[in-house]
Amino acid sequence: MVGSNRSFGYDAAATFANFIATPSIWDAFAVRSVIPTIPVTQVATNDHVLVSLLSHLIYSATGSRSEVLYRFLPALAAGATVGLSTGALVRRFGLLAGICAGLFIATDPLFVDNSRDLRGYSLAALGSVAGTLLLPIHGAISGRVSRVLDGLGPQVSAKPTEGLKQHVLPIHGEVSAKPTEGLKLVAYAVIMGLAMAAQLFVAVVLLCHVAWVVSERSWPRFRQLAPAWFVAALIGLGANAHIQVMEYTQHGLPPPVFYPTYPRDLVLFIIGAPVLLPVGLWLASAGLGLWTQRRAAWLWSSAAVIAVAVLVLWLGLKPAFLYPRFFIFLVPASAFLMAAAIKRWWVVAPVVLLGAVVAAVSQAPGYTQDPLALPAAAAAVEHIDASGRRACVIHSDEQVLSAYTSRFTVVTRPDELADCDAVVVVSWGVDLALRDQAAQEFPRLTTLPAYYPTVVLER
């Protein structure tokens, strides 16, 4: 929450304007265009449904537009992800290994950056961790992890199946036949479904769970868990179904783009990029942990599922917007590997800790910096409007500036600039030719500072 009163980022501002600060709670599901000049298909994929819905409830109850209020839920989920992961890893690998791995999650730039704004990534990570801990399959961690969730996890057999426990995901033990087992499966299904509602890519985690059970070759257990998987998919895919169908049937997605370095970028950003030193330290630590788990069937089944998902996106669908943060659930998974390495070789602990210190220090200067100058831009727009002049913004900037004000006119063509007294440019997502034309016609320039500064152009 440090710096939580800073301006919303681009995606968060678009989410707030289009799906949260609106008259109807159904807007959280991207059912209509809220801003007349922005088709809903243009912004629908920016809607993290669970976060939008919960935030809309807050907005409906309070009417508040405070950035601090709407950042609290993602930050709380991030903290819970760190705490829950650390507790599980301490029980599995010991105090030193668990704490070091938890510090990796808490300082990993990808995780930190995407947990500090109005986005659903941290809720997706929390649901992935909690759902995994609830998954009732055999494992070497046995009953110790079940206590992490205060008894929510399945009961553990006193004698795990010999010859099997070292070759599957080390999470839980035998499924009990007690009546509470049904409630635990319901909790698992709901948590995984809500995690997918927060960020659709959690479907990959659900597929990993299916692969783990398949790797056990326990078909009775598969049949037992199949209804929970179905319910989870129903919740998660149902929450996102309208958005996905609309995007593909109404051609709202931009043309496909091939990112040749995406697999490499995914690995590097999950393990510390863009800060160079932590990348080297953490990548080596995770690699050692991978070696310790090399005989585990769950590891290779997970790798296969993730590789297929990446290949389908990278070489098949080729979405124009493809970011490493979509796989943010791999950050706690990487922490598991680091903890495994520290358990085997304690000297890895200071390596992981050094990476955490460097990562935290390198990010600190940006904790309070505005990503965009949206509050200042809104103040400038309202000042211009109050003085009887017309403030204009270039088309597409209205989807983010509307989070703070609506007292502007949208221009889409050069000839419309003649009716403006000032042009406010707040982001990089506008028509660059029209922006340059505005700069020629409005030579007086004022810069409003931010990571990406706003420019106010006047005659």
Side-chain angles (χ1 to χ4, degrees):
M1 294 297 289
V2 176
S4 56
N5 62 341
R6 68 195 187 284
S7 167
F8 284 131
Y10 190 97
D11 289 341
T15 295
F16 189 77
N18 288 277
F19 311 121
I20 296 171
T22 70
S24 172
I25 196 169
W26 294 109
D27 293 326
F29 297 90
V31 297
R32 67 188 179 104
S33 296
V34 174
I35 302 171
T37 53
I38 300 293
V40 67
T41 54
Q42 182 177 323
V43 293
T45 54
N46 200 41
D47 184 14
H48 292 178
V49 176
L50 180 62
V51 173
S52 296
L53 180 60
L54 295 175
S55 299
H56 204 298
L57 292 173
I58 296 172
Y59 177 77
S60 299
T62 67
S64 174
R65 290 177 173 266
S66 166
E67 297 94 342
V68 176
L69 181 61
Y70 295 100
R71 283 188 168 115
F72 180 73
L73 181 61
L76 183 65
T81 302
V82 173
L84 191 59
S85 300
T86 301
L89 295 174
V90 164
R91 286 164 174 79
R92 173 64 179 88
F93 296 110
L95 184 64
L96 178 63
I99 289 178
C100 291
L103 286 172
F104 156 70
I105 303 173
T107 57
D108 180 75
L110 182 78
F111 186 81
V112 172
D113 186 53
N114 289 286
S115 301
R116 299 182 69 243
D117 218 335
L118 182 57
R119 314 301 297 136
Y121 297 106
S122 58
L123 276 82
L126 175 60
S128 298
V129 171
T132 299
L133 292 176
L134 280 171
L135 183 64
I137 65 175
H138 295 283
I141 199 167
S142 192
R144 289 173 290 177
V145 162
S146 64
R147 293 194 294 272
V148 175
L149 294 178
D150 254 348
L152 285 179
Q155 299 297 317
V156 181
S157 169
K159 295 182 179 180
T161 305
E162 294 299 327
L164 179 63
K165 68 179 184 178
Q166 298 298 331
H167 299 283
V168 296
L169 177 74
I171 293 296
H172 276 94
E174 295 281 359
V175 174
S176 168
K178 294 181 180 180
T180 54
E181 187 59 42
L183 294 177
K184 295 164 187 173
L185 286 176
V186 170
Y188 166 76
V190 171
I191 287 172
M192 291 302 300
L194 292 177
M196 276 191 283
Q199 220 283 323
L200 185 57
F201 277 72
V202 175
V204 176
V205 179
L206 193 69
L207 292 175
C208 284
H209 291 173
V210 175
W212 297 340
V213 175
V214 170
S215 71
E216 278 193 334
R217 300 179 182 178
S218 175
W219 302 117
R221 191 177 301 279
F222 184 93
R223 289 192 296 271
Q224 181 186 28
L225 288 168
W229 290 329
F230 176 78
V231 171
L234 193 65
I235 295 171
L237 298 179
N240 289 277
H242 172 72
I243 296 172
Q244 299 303 317
V245 170
M246 176 177 59
E247 290 291 355
Y248 283 101
T249 59
Q250 299 183 25
H251 307 290
L253 297 173
V257 176
F258 176 64
Y259 296 97
T261 63
Y262 182 72
R264 180 203 68 187
D265 296 343
L266 175 61
V267 173
L268 294 181
F269 274 90
I270 291 296
I271 310 287
V275 187
L276 183 59
L277 182 58
V279 170
L281 298 176
W282 287 340
L283 189 60
S285 302
L288 291 172
L290 192 67
W291 174 258
T292 70
Q293 304 297 308
R294 66 190 183 280
R295 299 185 186 279
W298 67 264
L299 176 64
W300 301 112
S301 62
S302 300
V305 169
I306 294 166
V308 169
V310 171
L311 288 173
V312 168
L313 288 167
W314 182 46
L315 300 178
L317 299 176
K318 300 178 184 177
F321 303 107
L322 182 59
Y323 303 112
R325 62 176 179 261
F326 294 164
F327 290 85
I328 196 167
F329 49 80
L330 293 179
V331 174
S334 301
F336 180 96
L337 296 178
M338 293 181 192
I342 295 170
K343 173 70 173 179
R344 180 75 174 272
W345 303 285
W346 70 266
V347 292
V348 177
V351 175
V352 174
L353 287 175
L354 177 59
V357 171
V358 173
V361 170
S362 68
Q363 294 173 86
Y367 283 164
T368 58
Q369 184 180 31
D370 286 330
L372 295 170
L374 291 174
V381 164
E382 293 180 354
H383 175 73
I384 293 166
D385 181 71
S387 66
R389 297 179 295 156
R390 175 174 289 183
C392 296
V393 300
I394 298 173
H395 175 56
S396 88
D397 265 357
E398 70 268 31
Q399 69 178 312
V400 292
L401 190 55
S402 292
Y404 289 86
T405 185
S406 59
R407 294 165 64 178
F408 53 77
T409 300
V410 179
V411 297
T412 58
R413 304 188 310 270
D415 60 284
E416 294 175 337
L417 293 171
D419 297 326
C420 302
D421 296 301
V423 177
V424 180
V425 183
V426 298
S427 83
W428 56 88
V430 299
D431 183 331
L432 298 182
L434 185 54
R435 182 199 64 183
D436 294 343
Q437 180 67 31
Q440 292 179 11
E441 295 189 23
F442 298 80
R444 190 154 63 92
L445 179 150
T446 303
T447 300
L448 305 178
Y451 180 81
Y452 189 91
T454 287
V455 174
V456 180
L457 303 171
E458 298 177 275
R459 297 188 188 279

